[in-house]
């Protein structure tokens, strides 16, 4: 992806909204999505009538619906609006919102993503993602593929593999404790044309093939490639002074991402607390962008949001946000 | 800021059929991609973004098929996004591809998808029957056939349309489909033959309903700069818009104003937005043809009226006069439409691809003479998602019927 079209329309994040469930019964999925969208609109000082379009991203399997946007487009704000639904990471809803504004077809777009993990088993839902003929029967559950990527990372870097009882491992070398607990949450951003306090300075994403052994780039190199494009568009260098929000799905993923971004453990990473605080799986990428926006609002000149997603982290998404003129 | 120009430079379509035992889902992606890229005179190396059109995962027995699609297409480092708006998915994916090019972030965007619903071991309806709200409406009982039949009954009650009108539409589309080498159902039917088939749900009879279809569709969307360096004929995107409506059909009955389940207010709003982008103020005079999404012929009159190509309540009478025939003033689905092939993930892409192909003069035996501007549309969910795309033979000239 290039920005060969020249200077893009200035796009800003005007509203950020979260909805979280203190307990699974506190909010149903419809209410969760409605509350997040409503909070984002209120944060932006807008109403649904001010919105031109809505971009959604979520996982039908985890929602337990064949086409979950049938139920959730309305609560998200899409009733009689120009609405579209993306699969996989919530950051893709944000990307689509930005494309719409840069294309000049929309002025204000809601990007909304959610996961109510308490409704279903993540492991079961993920189990049907593997290719059906060769991969799935061989037991290559996405967890197994993630473990393989992690083992290769340990080999590559010379880091010691963890030791312990078999019961401590979800799939060696990944321990149960390496994974942040799943949480129920919805996230919404109001993305607008024109300048604002938080502006989109750079945006890039890329996908690799699902088979980790067939990929051309290591995860670190894949992060570096995508981050390099986003940083170049923003005209920045990502260094230790930049706030980074990333999907730290495991400590190893965090290490891969830091290596890809050229940062060390002293970097200002996940001041929000990261996935240990909130881990709505498919909405986590959009939540990282939301927290990056809040960091800029709080005074950071630049913040970077990163998410890895897909089968064993096959997708990488990087957004650079910067302090705007107001 | 106006959208940057975007043209359709390549289209690829399978020859649609019930099953394909020779190709898996990934193989179908490749088939569609290769056909479209060859048509455009490009290769995957020229593509800088991919949009995948794939509707319910459950139809394919695989979760998040976009993950596998990246492997089938060898996407090492290209951006991919997957769109799912039910039956409207294919048109929504083209809309997303248009946004990518119109924003300047993509110079060559491959939009593609494939459908394998013919392989579903327990039938596609078993999956589609689960799209309804379990608490309120699923127990009616609802399926996609009943949903559209209820719409048709409301339309019949309002405007006096009859089963014969719906049979006339079905017979016309089945006859048109016989000319289309990509269509799944290619046997012409008469009105009497349609009316002799059994009811699925009154007033919808078997021959008024689409088949379940397997196949792929792909389109290559390119920027103005790249378009002018390519030799194939082009169809320029002039407008694209969508609307989402309520999940609950009960919300569209009773005191619901124009948003009546029988009238497609959502399609009307989407078309109005697309017309505004394209500078179309008189669709009946400025469109040469339309390819709306009509999986059941009972949907046709209300859709045509929502698109504004005729007045409210007028479509059944115009159907009697051949107004929507291939050689009539406003051909409707000269490809045979979704009624003759419904590969659900890409059915709506086929509609907009057919509109683009008509503009490009690439429709072979079902080509309509002299097409400057054409419309394609998709529909999905509980007839709640509608997407409308408009294509013309040049990027700037006023949209009109003839070149």
């Amino acid at each position: 992806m290039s920005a060969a079209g020249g200077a893009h329309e200035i796009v800003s994040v005007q509203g950020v909204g979260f909805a979280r469930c203190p307990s699974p019964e506190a909010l149903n999925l419809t209410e969760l999505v409605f509350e997040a969208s409503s909070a984002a609109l209120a944060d932006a000082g807008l109403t649904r009538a001010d919105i031109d379009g809505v971009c959604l991203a979520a996982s039908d399997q985890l929602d337990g619906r064949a086409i979950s946007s049938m139920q959730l487009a309305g609560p998200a704000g899409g009733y009689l609006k120009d609405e579209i639904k993306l699969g996989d990471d919530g950051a893709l809803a944000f990307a689509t919102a930005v494309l719409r504004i840069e294309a000049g077809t929309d002025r204000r777009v809601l990007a909304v993503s959610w996961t109510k993990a308490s409704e279903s088993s993540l492991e079961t839902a993920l189990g049907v993602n593997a290719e059906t003929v060769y991969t799935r029967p061989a037991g290559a559950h996405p967890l197994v593929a993630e473990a393989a990527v992690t083992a290769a990372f340990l080999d590559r870097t010379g880091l010691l593999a963890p030791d312990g009882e078999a019961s401590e491992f979800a799939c060696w070398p990944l321990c149960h404790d390496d994974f942040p607990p799943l949480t129920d949450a919805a996230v919404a951003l109001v993305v607008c044309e024109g300048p604002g306090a938080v502006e989109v300075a750079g945006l890039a994403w890329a996908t690799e093939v699902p088979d980790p052994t067939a990929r051309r780039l290591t995860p670190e190199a894949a992060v570096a490639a995508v981050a390099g494009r986003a940083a170049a568009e923003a005209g920045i260098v990502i260094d230790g002074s930049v706030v980074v929000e990333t999907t730290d799905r495991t400590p190893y993923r965090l290490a891969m991402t830091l290596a890809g971004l050229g940062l060390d453990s002293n970097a200002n990473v996940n001041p929000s607390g990261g996935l240990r605080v909130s881990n709505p799986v498919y909405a986590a990428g959009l939540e990282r962008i939301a927290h990056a926006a809040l960091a800029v609002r709080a005074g950071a000149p630049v913040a970077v949001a990163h998410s890895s997603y897909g089968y064993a982290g096959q997708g990488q998404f990087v957004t650079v946000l910067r302090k705007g003129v107001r | 800021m106006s959208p940057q120009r975007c043209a359709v430079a390549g289209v690829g379509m399978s020859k649609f059929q019930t099953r394909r035992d020779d190709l898996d889902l990934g193989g179908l992606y490749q088939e569609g991609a290769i056909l479209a890229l060859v048509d455009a005179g490009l290769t995957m190396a020229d593509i800088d973004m991919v949009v995948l059109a794939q509707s319910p995962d459950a139809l394919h027995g695989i979760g998040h098929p976009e993950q596998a699609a990246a492997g089938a297409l060898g996407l090492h480092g290209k951006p991919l996004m997957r769109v799912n708006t039910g039956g409207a998915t294919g048109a929504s994916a083209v809309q997303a591809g248009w946004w990518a090019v119109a924003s300047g972030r993509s110079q060559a965007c491959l939009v593609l998808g494939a459908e394998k619903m013919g392989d579903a071991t327990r039938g596609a309806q078993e999956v589609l029957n689960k799209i309804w709200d379990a608490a309120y409406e699923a127990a009616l009982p609802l399926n996609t056939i009943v949903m559209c039949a209820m719409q048709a009954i409301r339309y019949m009650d309002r405007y006096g349309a009859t089963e014969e009108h719906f049979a006339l539409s079905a017979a016309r589309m089945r006859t048109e489909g016989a000319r289309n080498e990509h269509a799944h159902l290619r046997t012409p039917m008469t009105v009497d033959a349609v009316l002799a088939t059994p009811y699925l749900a009154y007033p919808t009879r078997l021959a008024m309903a689409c088949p379940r279809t397997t196949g792929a569709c792909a389109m290559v969307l390119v920027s103005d700069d790249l378009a002018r360096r390519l030799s194939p004929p082009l169809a320029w995107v002039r407008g694209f818009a969508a609307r989402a409506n309520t999940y609950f059909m009960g919300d569209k009955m009773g005191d619901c104003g124009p948003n009546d389940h029988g009238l497609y207010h959502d399609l009307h709003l989407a078309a109005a937005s697309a017309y505004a982008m394209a500078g179309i103020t008189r669709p009946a005079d400025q469109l040469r043809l339309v390819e709306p999404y009509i999986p059941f012929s009972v949907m046709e009159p209300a859709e045509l009226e929502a698109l504004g190509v005729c007045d409210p309540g007028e479509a059944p009478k115009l159907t009697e006069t051949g107004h929507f025939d291939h050689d009539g003033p406003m051909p409707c689905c000269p490809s045979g439409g979704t009624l003759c092939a419904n590969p659900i993930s890409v059915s709506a892409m086929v509609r907009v691809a057919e509109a683009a192909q008509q503009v490009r003069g690439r429709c072979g035996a079902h080509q309509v003479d002299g097409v400057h501007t054409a419309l394609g549309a998709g529909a999905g969910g509980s007839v709640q998602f509608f997407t409308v795309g408009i294509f013309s033979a040049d990027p700037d000239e006023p949209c009109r019927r003839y070149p």
Side-chain angles (χ1 to χ4, degrees):
Chain A
M1 186 171 63
S2 71
H8 293 298
E9 178 82 7
I10 294 175
V11 179
S12 55
V13 178
Q14 301 276 1
V16 176
F18 304 95
R20 298 198 174 97
C21 286
S23 68
E25 298 77 22
L27 295 171
N28 66 31
L29 182 56
T30 302
E31 293 164 338
L32 192 67
V33 171
F34 174 81
E35 293 295 339
S37 287
S38 299
L41 287 169
D43 186 47
L46 299 173
T47 70
R48 209 180 67 83
D50 300 312
I51 295 298
D52 300 317
V54 178
C55 300
L56 312 177
S59 169
D60 285 349
Q61 290 111 283
L62 275 182
D63 292 344
R65 303 266 178 164
I67 308 170
S68 70
S69 61
M70 289 174 62
Q71 178 196 14
L72 297 165
Y79 177 69
L80 297 183
K81 300 289 185 184
D82 194 326
E83 175 269 344
I84 193 166
K85 162 88 181 298
L86 290 303
D88 232 325
D89 193 53
L92 290 162
F94 180 78
T96 309
V98 172
L99 293 178
R100 294 172 71 155
I101 291 166
E102 290 180 342
T105 59
D106 299 85
R107 296 178 58 234
R108 300 187 184 105
V109 180
L110 260 171
V112 189
S113 186
W114 59 84
T115 292
K116 198 166 194 316
S118 62
E119 292 283 346
S120 52
S121 158
L122 177 65
E123 277 199 26
T124 303
L126 290 178
V128 297
N129 288 2
E131 182 276 329
T132 52
V133 177
Y134 301 103
T135 310
R136 200 185 302 174
H141 185 283
L143 173 64
V144 177
E146 180 67 20
V149 169
T150 304
F153 175 69
L154 293 174
D155 278 349
R156 196 163 54 244
T157 56
L159 292 172
L160 285 179
D163 196 13
E165 298 294 321
S167 60
E168 296 174 34
F169 292 97
C171 184
W172 187 91
L174 295 170
C175 295
H176 296 293
D177 290 344
D178 288 333
F179 297 95
L182 302 173
T183 58
D184 294 350
V187 185
L189 270 66
V190 179
V191 187
C192 299
E193 83 172 2
V198 181
E199 295 181 358
V200 180
L203 182 72
W205 74 99
T207 303
E208 259 289 352
V209 299
D211 178 356
T213 66
R215 293 177 187 169
R216 292 183 182 164
L217 298 177
T218 63
E220 305 92 287
V223 171
V226 173
R229 292 210 294 272
E233 183 185 334
I236 67 157
V237 174
I238 298 174
D239 58 25
S241 69
V242 173
V243 173
V244 175
E245 285 285 343
T246 181
T247 49
D248 50 342
R249 298 192 191 280
T250 69
Y252 307 105
R253 274 286 166 192
L254 177 60
M256 293 176 213
T257 300
L258 290 177
L261 294 174
L263 302 176
D264 59 26
S265 58
N266 295 318
N268 190 2
V269 176
N270 284 349
S272 68
L275 300 194
R276 290 279 166 188
V277 169
S278 176
N279 182 22
V281 185
Y282 285 92
L286 189 63
E287 187 158 28
R288 303 276 65 73
I289 298 171
H291 282 297
L294 293 179
V296 172
R297 267 195 203 173
V302 176
V304 171
H306 162 263
S307 51
S308 63
Y309 57 94
Y311 192 81
Q314 72 186 103
Q316 307 290 341
F317 195 109
V318 173
T319 308
V320 179
L321 301 176
R322 70 176 165 221
K323 185 176 172 60
V325 295
R326 62 170 191 260
Chain B
M1 181 175 171
S2 298
Q4 298 190 32
R5 291 170 176 163
C6 173
V8 178
V11 171
M13 263 184 235
S14 300
K15 288 191 166 43
F16 294 114
Q17 51 197 277
T18 304
R19 287 178 63 101
R20 287 285 297 272
D21 293 331
D22 58 326
L23 291 175
D24 61 7
L25 191 63
L28 287 173
Y29 293 146
Q30 293 167 353
E31 178 175 274
I34 290 168
L35 289 167
L37 289 167
V38 168
D39 187 32
L42 297 172
T43 71
M44 272 305 285
D46 300 306
I47 297 298
D48 57 21
M49 188 178 295
V50 177
V51 181
L52 181 72
Q54 204 67 49
S55 55
D57 300 12
L59 276 179
H60 311 102
I62 186 168
H64 288 279
E66 66 274 13
Q67 299 175 0
L73 297 169
L75 299 185
H76 295 282
K78 293 185 193 291
L80 167 74
M81 56 170 67
R82 180 266 181 108
V83 172
N84 177 8
T85 55
T89 295
S92 301
V94 179
Q95 184 185 27
W98 172 61
W99 286 326
V101 175
S103 71
R105 285 189 180 267
S106 174
Q107 307 306 303
C109 181
L110 175 64
V111 185
L112 83 164
E115 183 56 64
K116 266 283 200 180
M117 67 195 293
D119 288 9
T121 53
R122 292 162 68 179
Q125 282 300 331
E126 182 155 331
V127 172
L128 297 175
N129 288 353
K130 292 182 172 62
I131 64 177
W132 316 105
D133 185 83
Y136 294 102
E137 292 192 338
L140 278 175
L142 269 181
N143 60 31
T144 53
I145 303 164
V146 174
M147 166 184 76
C148 295
M150 288 200 299
Q151 175 271 321
I153 291 168
R154 294 181 76 79
Y155 182 87
M156 293 165 81
D157 180 60
R158 182 181 291 258
Y159 291 123
T162 65
E163 281 186 71
E164 285 71 22
H165 289 120
F166 303 140
L168 204 53
S169 295
R172 188 198 75 242
M173 285 188 274
R174 290 294 298 268
T175 303
E176 314 271 29
R179 282 195 288 266
N180 177 4
E181 64 173 340
H182 297 286
H184 179 179
L185 302 182
R186 300 196 63 194
T187 306
M189 290 190 79
T190 64
V191 172
D192 288 343
V194 171
L195 289 171
T197 59
Y199 283 121
L200 297 176
Y202 176 85
T204 302
R205 292 177 181 271
L206 181 61
M208 298 177 187
C210 59
R212 58 193 173 99
T213 302
T214 291
C217 185
M219 299 174 73
V220 178
L221 307 182
V222 298
S223 66
D224 191 15
D225 285 348
L226 181 55
R228 293 182 191 287
R229 287 183 268 131
L230 299 175
S231 53
L234 303 170
W236 295 89
V237 181
R238 301 299 296 267
F240 241 109
R243 285 294 182 280
N245 207 334
T246 172
Y247 182 25
F248 298 101
M249 279 168 278
D251 291 345
K252 297 186 286 182
M253 299 177 187
D255 185 16
C256 53
N259 194 15
D260 187 287
H261 186 52
L263 297 181
Y264 297 132
H265 184 55
D266 28 30
L267 176 60
H268 169 74
L269 294 176
S273 288
Y275 292 153
M277 293 178 192
I280 291 175
T281 55
R282 296 168 288 104
D285 296 330
Q286 292 174 267
L287 295 172
R288 179 68 181 93
L289 63 92
V290 291
E291 272 274 351
Y293 189 100
I294 304 173
F296 306 103
S297 67
V298 299
M299 298 169 70
E300 182 178 88
E303 287 203 36
L304 290 167
E305 292 161 17
L307 290 173
V309 297
C310 60
D311 290 333
E314 191 184 23
K317 285 290 180 195
L318 291 175
T319 299
E320 292 174 9
T321 66
H323 189 84
F324 304 114
D325 290 0
H326 185 271
D327 56 357
M330 180 58 71
C332 175
C333 295
S335 67
T338 308
L339 194 74
C340 293
N342 188 17
I344 195 165
S345 289
V346 292
S347 294
M349 193 192 306
V350 172
R351 303 281 70 73
V352 297
E354 282 287 345
Q357 290 291 72
Q358 289 284 356
V359 169
R360 301 175 75 211
R362 290 286 184 107
C363 283
H366 68 284
Q367 177 69 44
V368 172
D369 290 338
V371 180
H372 181 272
T373 305
L375 176 151
S382 56
V383 279
Q384 68 181 119
F385 302 132
F386 283 91
T387 305
V388 174
I390 297 167
F391 304 87
S392 74
D394 55 63
D396 298 318
E397 292 292 312
C399 289
R400 57 189 186 275
R401 289 170 63 79
Y402 300 105

